Amino acid sequence: WYGAGAASRISRLQSGVGLHLVVGLTALAFQLVADTAVGFGLRGMVLGDQLAYFSTPAGAVYAASLVLFALMPALRRLRVA
């Protein structure tokens, strides 16, 4: 929550909710690329293993947190506006 607000202030992002949603989705894309790279490089997982993780209870919680992460800039903008 606080990071989304700080990022908007630092970047002087004053546009509507749609642009904030694009920012959140872009951040999610970068995060997923990094997560996949760590899975490949450090944990020796293949893509199928990483996707199978999302079918576990812990993976479902992680997926929900990723959705919230992507929506946070737009939600913050709605609250401030």
Side-chain angles (χ1 to χ4, degrees):
W1 181 259
Y2 298 108
S8 294
R9 278 192 307 279
I10 290 169
S11 65
R12 296 188 175 117
L13 187 62
Q14 298 295 326
S15 295
V17 175
L19 185 57
H20 283 78
L21 184 58
V22 169
V23 167
L25 292 174
T26 303
L28 177 63
F30 283 128
Q31 193 281 329
L32 288 175
V33 167
D35 191 31
T36 303
V38 167
F40 287 155
L42 298 179
R43 295 172 47 188
M45 299 173 73
V46 296
L47 186 58
D49 294 338
Q50 293 183 14
L51 294 176
Y53 176 73
F54 286 104
S55 66
T56 66
V61 171
Y62 180 56
S65 71
L66 290 175
V67 170
L68 187 60
F69 171 78
L71 294 176
M72 195 57 64
L75 294 174
R76 173 79 184 211
R77 177 67 180 158
L78 285 172
R79 172 85 188 242
V80 172

